[in-house]
Amino acid sequence: MKDTTANAGKFNDPKTTAKGEPRATVALTNPQTLWFNTGTLCNIECVNCYIDSSPSNDALTYITLAEMTAYLDQLETRNWGVREIAFTGGEPFMNPDMIAMADAALTRGYDVLILTNAMRPMMRASVQRGLQTLNTNHPDRMTLRVSLDHHSAKHHDALRGKGSYDITLTGMDWLRDNAIPMATAGRSIWNETDADARAGFNALFKSRTYNIDAANPGQCVIFPEMDMTAETPEITTRCWDILNKSPDDVMCASSRMVVKRKGQAPSVVACTLLPYDTEFDLGETLEQAERPVALNHPHCSKFCVLGGASCSA
């Protein structure tokens, strides 16, 4: 849903901006990651979750192993050259096929990235056994990116609920002890500088001997906030030169995501951040999803182009 207050009149026409300038588009020039949304159900409900995941939201239902592997077949047919298969939710480990889907991707030679809160769904005995087996059979090719909103319990728990920080660290301790590669993803809403935030994460990682480089943006991601009430400029074709940026640097130049809306067949969307917006639904097949994407949403501007963020490693 597009903002109707701070950005009133903007982001309405995929071809032109509110000022009548040609809107920037991004072509799929270097596909590296195919994302799968495993479903919006989650064991917790976070403040300002961009996808509204919760214990009751099944707007995106569980994708199945058979549906997921059909897209892996399409990857081979279309010869995308993808390096990584990534999974997000909701909480991916609530999907009963999660371990099997990761195994299918790893067996075909892809690296695998799984986004998780490292809480109780991940810590079930059957999931632990599955992760241990996957890590043994495919060493250093599977990474779990843990949602750790802040390096302090105070701020993390303010978003995810009292006690969630300690539960997540227990999960990260288990990953550490089983030598399963991990990364973290935080948020930048506490008026910290990037350097201060990374220093805080660095201290935490060292104190718990986590093999995560806080200075590496690929291992310790700090996302800009996706505030739909904040005004953000529209991106025109002239902006690439003005900002000294290339459209090839934007996430939709290198990735697509498969979603399964309730009651519908799976389809491919342009962006991990926009699973509900039908304007960014590119069709049911990867071939249909190869067309360029118009940057016609505040997230395109604030998060990707101006924020320089990407959900992929």
Side-chain angles (χ1 to χ4, degrees):
M1 181 181 295
K2 299 197 174 65
D3 187 76
T4 57
T5 53
N7 292 306
K10 299 180 181 179
F11 304 104
N12 289 327
D13 187 331
K15 293 184 177 180
T16 59
T17 68
K19 294 180 179 180
E21 298 177 273
R23 185 178 303 283
T25 61
V26 173
L28 183 68
T29 54
N30 184 30
Q32 289 294 301
T33 304
L34 181 62
W35 287 86
F36 290 89
N37 187 292
T38 60
T40 39
L41 286 173
C42 188
N43 55 303
I44 58 174
E45 186 170 2
C46 302
V47 174
N48 199 26
C49 173
Y50 79 96
I51 202 171
D52 297 326
S53 297
S54 76
S56 61
N57 180 15
D58 61 351
L60 301 182
T61 57
Y62 289 151
I63 197 160
T64 68
L65 172 63
E67 291 164 337
M68 177 261 187
T69 54
Y71 281 98
L72 297 187
D73 292 340
Q74 291 183 47
L75 277 180
E76 296 174 7
T77 300
R78 300 305 300 168
N79 195 28
W80 275 19
V82 156
R83 171 187 60 83
E84 174 186 66
I85 302 298
F87 299 91
T88 184
E91 169 51 48
F93 290 112
M94 291 183 69
N95 185 312
D97 282 354
M98 184 61 253
I99 295 296
M101 290 190 291
D103 185 44
L106 288 163
T107 298
R108 294 203 191 197
Y110 298 105
D111 291 340
V112 163
L113 175 67
I114 305 173
L115 276 55
T116 179
N117 56 36
M119 297 176 79
R120 291 186 178 91
M122 190 198 79
M123 293 293 280
R124 299 197 309 273
S126 60
V127 174
Q128 289 181 325
R129 288 193 297 271
L131 289 173
Q132 289 168 325
T133 299
L134 290 175
N135 192 53
T136 297
N137 293 342
H138 307 280
D140 299 320
R141 292 192 30 238
M142 176 183 68
T143 300
L144 272 62
R145 183 190 291 167
V146 179
S147 298
L148 192 65
D149 287 329
H150 195 261
H151 46 81
S152 74
K154 175 184 176 181
H155 289 323
H156 178 92
D157 285 0
L159 300 181
R160 295 181 177 258
K162 186 176 181 180
S164 61
Y165 180 83
D166 289 337
I167 296 171
T168 291
L169 291 188
T170 297
M172 293 181 71
D173 289 349
W174 182 85
L175 292 171
R176 174 202 63 203
D177 295 343
N178 284 273
I180 296 174
M182 60 177 164
T184 58
R187 291 163 67 172
S188 58
I189 59 175
W190 292 280
N191 296 317
E192 281 182 318
T193 65
D194 183 79
D196 286 344
R198 294 189 184 282
F201 279 112
N202 183 59
L204 172 66
F205 298 159
K206 285 187 177 298
S207 71
R208 302 185 83 92
T209 63
Y210 295 157
N211 186 24
I212 306 172
D213 181 359
N216 184 337
Q219 293 188 29
C220 180
V221 185
I222 301 177
F223 286 125
E225 195 65 7
M226 293 176 287
D227 183 0
M228 286 290 287
T229 67
E231 184 176 6
T232 188
E234 295 181 282
I235 305 300
T236 71
T237 54
R238 294 191 308 116
C239 288
W240 302 124
D241 289 335
I242 294 171
L243 298 170
N244 194 28
K245 291 192 174 186
S246 167
D248 292 343
D249 298 331
V250 181
M251 186 164 54
C252 49
S254 60
S255 68
R256 294 288 186 264
M257 182 170 75
V258 178
V259 301
K260 185 181 178 183
R261 298 186 184 90
K262 192 172 184 178
Q264 300 180 32
S267 61
V268 188
V269 297
C271 179
T272 57
L273 308 179
L274 300 169
Y276 301 127
D277 196 322
T278 56
E279 180 181 329
F280 292 88
D281 193 311
L282 303 177
E284 293 185 5
T285 69
L286 296 186
E287 182 178 7
Q288 293 170 317
E290 290 171 355
R291 67 180 188 266
V293 176
L295 301 185
N296 192 31
H297 194 282
H299 290 347
C300 304
S301 171
K302 183 176 177 62
F303 186 88
C304 294
V305 177
L306 300 178
S310 174
C311 294
S312 300

